[in-house]
Amino acid sequence: MSVIKSFNSHFSEENLKKIFEEHVVYSNATGIDNVNQYAFRKQLDEQIEILSRKMLNGTYRFSKYKLKLISKGRGKAPREISIPTVRDRIAMRAICNFLGERYRDEIDFELPQDVIRSVKSEIEVGGYSGCIKLDVTNFYPSIRHDKLKPRLNKRIRNSDILDIIFSAIKSPTVSISKPTDKEIKIGVPQGLSISNILAAIYLVNIDKYMDEYPNIKAYRFVDDILILCDISESSEVALNVIKRIKSKSGLTVHDPVKVPEKSSITSISEGFDYLGYSFRSGVVSARAGSVDSLKNSILAIFTAYKHADPKIKNVDFLMWRLNLRITGCVFENKCKGWLFFFSEINNENLLHQLDHFVSKICKRFGVPNQSKRFVRAFKEIKHNKKSTKYIPNFDVYTIDQMKFDLAKYFNFDVSKITDDEVEFYFHKKIGRHVKELLEDIKDFS
């Protein structure tokens, strides 16, 4: 399909409405205009017509983004997240789908656990003795527009479409909009649905270079690079890859000698961490910090229960939240949760420790332990993922099941709302709690 036909199909009014229903309708986020999805839905037809028309005639321009700061821990600068308006969010999802279609033979978005599975396999074969970890400095804010544009132009030779894409990444991110706000000259805002695919397009040539480099096996997940090689060649390999990234992409990689906490060169026998996983002497486990985050989130659930208003305190809701934290779930056609993310560990002892931790917390707070178990949930994920009843799949819930959960766990009077409203409120409530699951793995999600 030609570029124009593909773009036009993604920005048809019908497709844009579908994107709103599938990706935006349950979101509470508001952009710089403070218009939420409720207000937007009242003028949906009008807004979609404007969006489609301006996209198809090449005149659409993105609004400024609202700034949201995400803490990265004590002593670290917060991560800046850009929140678009509802209409821009629809537009970006359509652009993301369009780019995915244009680059589907070059870009393959693997899940972290898929990457880890391949790393495990290579280590088990035992063909490599060295491990190089490289971390790009300030990755997203350092992506150069002058280098990104020719990469896009190879597949999208249409100036109007390119102008629209660059309108999205040039728009400033602000707390309060001012006339003096200037366009961004370098970098891609984080938090947009197009950010990851643009970053992947930017590094396509680097990925090809590492794939063709002799006697190594390289992995990249966003800006985290892992290279397996012979330990005797590791310093030379690291130097060559760092130079290549600098010369071809204008990006700076943390020096493994000067900044070993960011980049490093080690032997595989010493052990290493990658994407939240720990590799030590044949044991693949979750990194200690990831385990601590999970435990803290479980403790927070019990603390919230302890301090809840006695009139609304609900032990069933406590157990529902706890079980969701333990098993994860399937929601919007995706597997969510800590165990799904760490499904490639082989450390069963850790799972028993987590089950013991839950038992201790229940006892401390005086709550009967009726929770599900990490050990059982892990086995279901590994051996019975598609047909398990132990892990909730909210995508296949019937209206009656939705009503039951809304009434039992969220104190909803479902007798006075329509089935459409039941579905809406159910997805809204579940979406909020699924978002909490991502906090346990927020550095890698």
Short mmCIF file of all heavy atoms in Angstrom, two decimals, residues 1-17 19 48-49 51-60 90-91 94-95 97-99 101-102 156 158 160-162 164-165:
data_model
loop_
_atom_site.label_atom_id
_atom_site.label_comp_id
_atom_site.label_asym_id
_atom_site.label_seq_id
_atom_site.Cartn_x
_atom_site.Cartn_y
_atom_site.Cartn_z
N MET A 1 0.85 -1.19 0.00
CA MET A 1 0.00 0.00 0.00
C MET A 1 0.89 1.25 0.00
O MET A 1 1.90 1.30 0.70
CB MET A 1 -0.90 0.00 1.24
CG MET A 1 -1.93 1.12 1.25
SD MET A 1 -2.93 1.15 2.76
CE MET A 1 -3.86 -0.37 2.60
N SER A 2 0.51 2.26 -0.78
CA SER A 2 1.30 3.48 -0.84
C SER A 2 1.23 4.22 0.49
O SER A 2 0.34 3.98 1.32
CB SER A 2 0.77 4.40 -1.95
OG SER A 2 -0.50 4.93 -1.59
N VAL A 3 2.18 5.13 0.69
CA VAL A 3 2.24 5.90 1.93
C VAL A 3 0.95 6.68 2.14
O VAL A 3 0.38 6.68 3.23
CB VAL A 3 3.45 6.88 1.90
CG1 VAL A 3 3.41 7.81 3.10
CG2 VAL A 3 4.76 6.11 1.88
N ILE A 4 0.48 7.35 1.10
CA ILE A 4 -0.72 8.19 1.21
C ILE A 4 -1.95 7.34 1.54
O ILE A 4 -2.74 7.67 2.44
CB ILE A 4 -0.97 8.98 -0.09
CG1 ILE A 4 0.15 9.99 -0.31
CG2 ILE A 4 -2.32 9.69 -0.02
CD1 ILE A 4 0.25 11.06 0.76
N LYS A 5 -2.12 6.21 0.83
CA LYS A 5 -3.28 5.36 1.10
C LYS A 5 -3.25 4.81 2.52
O LYS A 5 -4.28 4.75 3.20
CB LYS A 5 -3.33 4.21 0.09
CG LYS A 5 -3.80 4.61 -1.30
CD LYS A 5 -3.93 3.40 -2.20
CE LYS A 5 -4.46 3.80 -3.58
NZ LYS A 5 -4.57 2.61 -4.48
N SER A 6 -2.06 4.41 2.96
CA SER A 6 -1.92 3.89 4.33
C SER A 6 -2.26 4.97 5.35
O SER A 6 -3.03 4.73 6.29
CB SER A 6 -0.50 3.39 4.54
OG SER A 6 -0.30 3.02 5.89
N PHE A 7 -1.71 6.16 5.16
CA PHE A 7 -1.97 7.27 6.08
C PHE A 7 -3.45 7.62 6.11
O PHE A 7 -4.04 7.80 7.18
CB PHE A 7 -1.13 8.48 5.68
CG PHE A 7 -1.14 9.60 6.67
CD1 PHE A 7 -0.33 9.56 7.80
CD2 PHE A 7 -1.97 10.69 6.50
CE1 PHE A 7 -0.34 10.60 8.72
CE2 PHE A 7 -1.99 11.74 7.41
CZ PHE A 7 -1.17 11.69 8.53
N ASN A 8 -4.06 7.69 4.93
CA ASN A 8 -5.47 8.03 4.86
C ASN A 8 -6.35 7.00 5.57
O ASN A 8 -7.35 7.36 6.22
CB ASN A 8 -5.90 8.15 3.40
CG ASN A 8 -5.34 9.39 2.72
OD1 ASN A 8 -4.74 10.23 3.37
ND2 ASN A 8 -5.52 9.49 1.41
N SER A 9 -6.00 5.73 5.45
CA SER A 9 -6.81 4.70 6.11
C SER A 9 -6.71 4.80 7.63
O SER A 9 -7.69 4.61 8.34
CB SER A 9 -6.38 3.31 5.64
OG SER A 9 -5.08 2.98 6.11
N HIS A 10 -5.53 5.12 8.13
CA HIS A 10 -5.35 5.26 9.58
C HIS A 10 -6.06 6.49 10.12
O HIS A 10 -6.42 6.53 11.30
CB HIS A 10 -3.86 5.31 9.93
CG HIS A 10 -3.18 3.97 9.86
ND1 HIS A 10 -3.37 3.00 10.82
CD2 HIS A 10 -2.34 3.44 8.94
CE1 HIS A 10 -2.66 1.93 10.50
NE2 HIS A 10 -2.03 2.17 9.36
N PHE A 11 -6.25 7.49 9.26
CA PHE A 11 -6.90 8.72 9.73
C PHE A 11 -8.30 8.91 9.18
O PHE A 11 -8.81 10.03 9.12
CB PHE A 11 -6.01 9.93 9.41
CG PHE A 11 -4.88 10.07 10.39
CD1 PHE A 11 -3.65 9.52 10.11
CD2 PHE A 11 -5.07 10.70 11.61
CE1 PHE A 11 -2.61 9.61 11.02
CE2 PHE A 11 -4.05 10.80 12.52
CZ PHE A 11 -2.81 10.25 12.23
N SER A 12 -8.93 7.82 8.80
CA SER A 12 -10.35 7.89 8.47
C SER A 12 -11.13 8.13 9.77
O SER A 12 -10.68 7.76 10.86
CB SER A 12 -10.81 6.58 7.82
OG SER A 12 -10.78 5.51 8.77
N GLU A 13 -12.29 8.75 9.65
CA GLU A 13 -13.10 9.03 10.84
C GLU A 13 -13.46 7.74 11.57
O GLU A 13 -13.47 7.68 12.80
CB GLU A 13 -14.35 9.82 10.44
CG GLU A 13 -14.05 11.24 9.97
CD GLU A 13 -15.31 12.06 9.73
OE1 GLU A 13 -16.31 11.82 10.44
OE2 GLU A 13 -15.29 12.92 8.83
N GLU A 14 -13.77 6.71 10.80
CA GLU A 14 -14.14 5.42 11.40
C GLU A 14 -13.01 4.85 12.25
O GLU A 14 -13.23 4.39 13.38
CB GLU A 14 -14.51 4.43 10.28
CG GLU A 14 -14.92 3.05 10.80
CD GLU A 14 -15.21 2.08 9.67
OE1 GLU A 14 -15.00 2.44 8.50
OE2 GLU A 14 -15.62 0.94 9.97
N ASN A 15 -11.79 4.90 11.72
CA ASN A 15 -10.66 4.34 12.46
C ASN A 15 -10.34 5.18 13.69
O ASN A 15 -9.98 4.65 14.75
CB ASN A 15 -9.43 4.25 11.56
CG ASN A 15 -8.31 3.47 12.22
OD1 ASN A 15 -8.46 2.31 12.56
ND2 ASN A 15 -7.18 4.12 12.43
N LEU A 16 -10.45 6.50 13.58
CA LEU A 16 -10.15 7.38 14.71
C LEU A 16 -11.15 7.17 15.85
O LEU A 16 -10.77 7.20 17.03
CB LEU A 16 -10.15 8.84 14.26
CG LEU A 16 -9.03 9.22 13.27
CD1 LEU A 16 -9.22 10.65 12.79
CD2 LEU A 16 -7.66 9.04 13.91
N LYS A 17 -12.42 6.95 15.50
CA LYS A 17 -13.41 6.66 16.54
C LYS A 17 -13.11 5.33 17.22
O LYS A 17 -13.27 5.18 18.44
CB LYS A 17 -14.82 6.63 15.93
CG LYS A 17 -15.36 8.00 15.59
CD LYS A 17 -16.78 7.92 15.02
CE LYS A 17 -17.30 9.31 14.68
NZ LYS A 17 -18.66 9.26 14.08
N ILE A 19 -10.14 4.04 17.64
CA ILE A 19 -9.00 4.29 18.53
C ILE A 19 -9.48 4.92 19.83
O ILE A 19 -9.04 4.55 20.92
CB ILE A 19 -7.96 5.20 17.84
CG1 ILE A 19 -7.25 4.42 16.74
CG2 ILE A 19 -6.95 5.75 18.84
CD1 ILE A 19 -6.30 5.25 15.89
N ILE A 48 -13.56 14.44 15.91
CA ILE A 48 -12.99 13.44 15.01
C ILE A 48 -12.98 13.95 13.57
O ILE A 48 -12.02 13.72 12.81
CB ILE A 48 -13.77 12.11 15.11
CG1 ILE A 48 -13.54 11.45 16.46
CG2 ILE A 48 -13.38 11.17 13.98
CD1 ILE A 48 -12.11 11.05 16.76
N GLU A 49 -14.04 14.65 13.18
CA GLU A 49 -14.11 15.21 11.82
C GLU A 49 -12.98 16.22 11.61
O GLU A 49 -12.31 16.21 10.56
CB GLU A 49 -15.47 15.87 11.60
CG GLU A 49 -15.72 16.34 10.17
CD GLU A 49 -15.10 17.69 9.83
OE1 GLU A 49 -15.02 18.54 10.75
OE2 GLU A 49 -14.68 17.87 8.68
N LEU A 51 -10.11 16.40 13.29
CA LEU A 51 -8.84 15.69 13.31
C LEU A 51 -8.58 15.00 11.98
O LEU A 51 -7.48 15.12 11.40
CB LEU A 51 -8.84 14.66 14.45
CG LEU A 51 -7.66 13.68 14.53
CD1 LEU A 51 -6.34 14.43 14.59
CD2 LEU A 51 -7.82 12.78 15.75
N SER A 52 -9.56 14.28 11.47
CA SER A 52 -9.39 13.57 10.21
C SER A 52 -9.14 14.53 9.06
O SER A 52 -8.21 14.34 8.26
CB SER A 52 -10.64 12.73 9.92
OG SER A 52 -10.54 12.08 8.67
N ARG A 53 -9.94 15.59 9.00
CA ARG A 53 -9.81 16.54 7.88
C ARG A 53 -8.44 17.22 7.87
O ARG A 53 -7.78 17.30 6.83
CB ARG A 53 -10.93 17.59 7.98
CG ARG A 53 -10.78 18.75 7.01
CD ARG A 53 -12.04 19.58 6.92
NE ARG A 53 -12.61 19.89 8.22
CZ ARG A 53 -12.19 20.88 9.01
NH1 ARG A 53 -11.16 21.64 8.63
NH2 ARG A 53 -12.78 21.11 10.17
N LYS A 54 -7.99 17.67 9.04
CA LYS A 54 -6.71 18.39 9.09
C LYS A 54 -5.52 17.45 8.87
O LYS A 54 -4.50 17.85 8.29
CB LYS A 54 -6.57 19.11 10.44
CG LYS A 54 -7.49 20.32 10.58
CD LYS A 54 -7.14 21.15 11.78
CE LYS A 54 -7.92 22.46 11.80
NZ LYS A 54 -7.51 23.34 12.92
N MET A 55 -5.65 16.21 9.33
CA MET A 55 -4.58 15.25 9.07
C MET A 55 -4.48 14.94 7.58
O MET A 55 -3.39 14.89 7.01
CB MET A 55 -4.83 13.96 9.86
CG MET A 55 -4.38 14.02 11.29
SD MET A 55 -2.58 14.09 11.40
CE MET A 55 -2.35 14.04 13.18
N LEU A 56 -5.61 14.75 6.93
CA LEU A 56 -5.61 14.37 5.52
C LEU A 56 -5.19 15.52 4.60
O LEU A 56 -4.67 15.27 3.51
CB LEU A 56 -6.99 13.84 5.12
CG LEU A 56 -7.43 12.56 5.85
CD1 LEU A 56 -8.77 12.07 5.31
CD2 LEU A 56 -6.39 11.46 5.74
N ASN A 57 -5.41 16.78 5.05
CA ASN A 57 -4.94 17.88 4.20
C ASN A 57 -3.59 18.45 4.67
O ASN A 57 -3.11 19.45 4.14
CB ASN A 57 -6.00 19.00 4.08
CG ASN A 57 -6.27 19.70 5.41
OD1 ASN A 57 -5.42 19.76 6.30
ND2 ASN A 57 -7.47 20.26 5.54
N GLY A 58 -2.99 17.79 5.70
CA GLY A 58 -1.63 18.13 6.12
C GLY A 58 -1.50 19.37 6.96
O GLY A 58 -0.40 19.92 7.10
N THR A 59 -2.59 19.83 7.57
CA THR A 59 -2.53 21.09 8.35
C THR A 59 -2.62 20.87 9.86
O THR A 59 -2.61 21.84 10.62
CB THR A 59 -3.67 22.03 7.92
OG1 THR A 59 -4.94 21.40 8.18
CG2 THR A 59 -3.55 22.39 6.45
N TYR A 60 -2.72 19.62 10.31
CA TYR A 60 -2.88 19.37 11.75
C TYR A 60 -1.58 19.68 12.48
O TYR A 60 -0.49 19.32 12.03
CB TYR A 60 -3.27 17.92 12.01
CG TYR A 60 -3.70 17.67 13.45
CD1 TYR A 60 -5.00 17.93 13.84
CD2 TYR A 60 -2.79 17.20 14.39
CE1 TYR A 60 -5.41 17.71 15.15
CE2 TYR A 60 -3.18 16.98 15.71
CZ TYR A 60 -4.49 17.24 16.08
OH TYR A 60 -4.89 17.03 17.38
N ILE A 90 -5.43 10.57 20.41
CA ILE A 90 -6.01 9.77 19.32
C ILE A 90 -5.11 9.87 18.09
O ILE A 90 -4.80 8.86 17.44
CB ILE A 90 -7.43 10.25 18.99
CG1 ILE A 90 -8.35 10.11 20.20
CG2 ILE A 90 -7.99 9.49 17.79
CD1 ILE A 90 -9.69 10.79 20.03
N ALA A 91 -4.70 11.10 17.77
CA ALA A 91 -3.85 11.32 16.60
C ALA A 91 -2.54 10.55 16.71
O ALA A 91 -2.08 9.92 15.73
CB ALA A 91 -3.56 12.82 16.43
N ALA A 94 -2.87 6.80 16.13
CA ALA A 94 -3.01 6.52 14.70
C ALA A 94 -1.65 6.62 14.00
O ALA A 94 -1.32 5.79 13.14
CB ALA A 94 -4.01 7.47 14.06
N ILE A 95 -0.84 7.62 14.38
CA ILE A 95 0.51 7.75 13.80
C ILE A 95 1.37 6.55 14.18
O ILE A 95 2.11 6.00 13.37
CB ILE A 95 1.18 9.06 14.28
CG1 ILE A 95 0.49 10.27 13.65
CG2 ILE A 95 2.66 9.07 13.92
CD1 ILE A 95 1.02 11.60 14.14
N ASN A 97 0.37 3.52 14.85
CA ASN A 97 -0.06 2.37 14.05
C ASN A 97 0.43 2.49 12.60
O ASN A 97 0.83 1.50 11.98
CB ASN A 97 -1.58 2.25 14.08
CG ASN A 97 -2.11 1.92 15.47
OD1 ASN A 97 -1.37 1.45 16.33
ND2 ASN A 97 -3.38 2.19 15.70
N PHE A 98 0.39 3.70 12.08
CA PHE A 98 0.87 3.96 10.72
C PHE A 98 2.36 3.65 10.60
O PHE A 98 2.81 2.97 9.67
CB PHE A 98 0.58 5.41 10.36
CG PHE A 98 1.32 5.93 9.16
CD1 PHE A 98 0.97 5.52 7.87
CD2 PHE A 98 2.37 6.83 9.31
CE1 PHE A 98 1.66 6.00 6.76
CE2 PHE A 98 3.06 7.31 8.21
CZ PHE A 98 2.71 6.89 6.93
N LEU A 99 3.16 4.14 11.57
CA LEU A 99 4.60 3.89 11.55
C LEU A 99 4.90 2.40 11.72
O LEU A 99 5.81 1.86 11.08
CB LEU A 99 5.29 4.68 12.66
CG LEU A 99 5.33 6.20 12.48
CD1 LEU A 99 5.88 6.88 13.74
CD2 LEU A 99 6.19 6.58 11.27
N GLU A 101 3.13 -0.01 10.71
CA GLU A 101 2.84 -0.66 9.42
C GLU A 101 3.97 -0.42 8.42
O GLU A 101 4.38 -1.33 7.69
CB GLU A 101 1.52 -0.11 8.86
CG GLU A 101 1.03 -0.79 7.62
CD GLU A 101 -0.32 -0.24 7.18
OE1 GLU A 101 -1.34 -0.77 7.64
OE2 GLU A 101 -0.34 0.73 6.39
N ARG A 102 4.51 0.80 8.39
CA ARG A 102 5.57 1.14 7.45
C ARG A 102 6.89 0.44 7.77
O ARG A 102 7.69 0.15 6.87
CB ARG A 102 5.82 2.66 7.42
CG ARG A 102 4.62 3.51 7.05
CD ARG A 102 3.98 3.13 5.75
NE ARG A 102 4.87 3.24 4.59
CZ ARG A 102 4.54 2.84 3.37
NH1 ARG A 102 3.37 2.27 3.13
NH2 ARG A 102 5.39 2.99 2.38
N ILE A 156 8.85 7.20 4.34
CA ILE A 156 7.71 8.14 4.28
C ILE A 156 8.14 9.36 3.47
O ILE A 156 8.54 10.38 4.03
CB ILE A 156 7.27 8.56 5.70
CG1 ILE A 156 7.02 7.33 6.57
CG2 ILE A 156 6.01 9.43 5.65
CD1 ILE A 156 6.85 7.64 8.03
N ASN A 158 6.87 11.91 2.06
CA ASN A 158 5.76 12.86 1.93
C ASN A 158 5.97 13.96 2.96
O ASN A 158 5.96 13.70 4.17
CB ASN A 158 4.43 12.16 2.16
CG ASN A 158 3.24 13.09 1.99
OD1 ASN A 158 2.98 13.91 2.86
ND2 ASN A 158 2.53 12.96 0.88
N ASP A 160 4.20 16.53 3.94
CA ASP A 160 3.10 16.88 4.85
C ASP A 160 3.03 15.91 6.03
O ASP A 160 2.85 16.32 7.19
CB ASP A 160 1.76 16.84 4.09
CG ASP A 160 1.60 18.03 3.15
OD1 ASP A 160 2.32 19.04 3.35
OD2 ASP A 160 0.77 17.95 2.24
N ILE A 161 3.20 14.60 5.75
CA ILE A 161 3.16 13.61 6.83
C ILE A 161 4.34 13.79 7.77
O ILE A 161 4.20 13.74 9.00
CB ILE A 161 3.14 12.18 6.24
CG1 ILE A 161 1.85 11.97 5.43
CG2 ILE A 161 3.24 11.14 7.36
CD1 ILE A 161 1.80 10.63 4.71
N LEU A 162 5.52 14.04 7.21
CA LEU A 162 6.70 14.26 8.04
C LEU A 162 6.53 15.51 8.91
O LEU A 162 6.92 15.51 10.09
CB LEU A 162 7.95 14.39 7.16
CG LEU A 162 8.43 13.10 6.49
CD1 LEU A 162 9.61 13.39 5.57
CD2 LEU A 162 8.82 12.06 7.53
N ILE A 164 3.78 16.69 10.08
CA ILE A 164 2.85 16.36 11.16
C ILE A 164 3.57 15.58 12.26
O ILE A 164 3.40 15.86 13.45
CB ILE A 164 1.67 15.54 10.60
CG1 ILE A 164 0.74 16.45 9.78
CG2 ILE A 164 0.88 14.88 11.74
CD1 ILE A 164 -0.31 15.71 8.98
N ILE A 165 4.39 14.60 11.89
CA ILE A 165 5.13 13.81 12.88
C ILE A 165 6.06 14.71 13.68
O ILE A 165 6.14 14.61 14.91
CB ILE A 165 5.92 12.68 12.19
CG1 ILE A 165 4.95 11.66 11.58
CG2 ILE A 165 6.86 12.00 13.18
CD1 ILE A 165 5.62 10.61 10.72
#
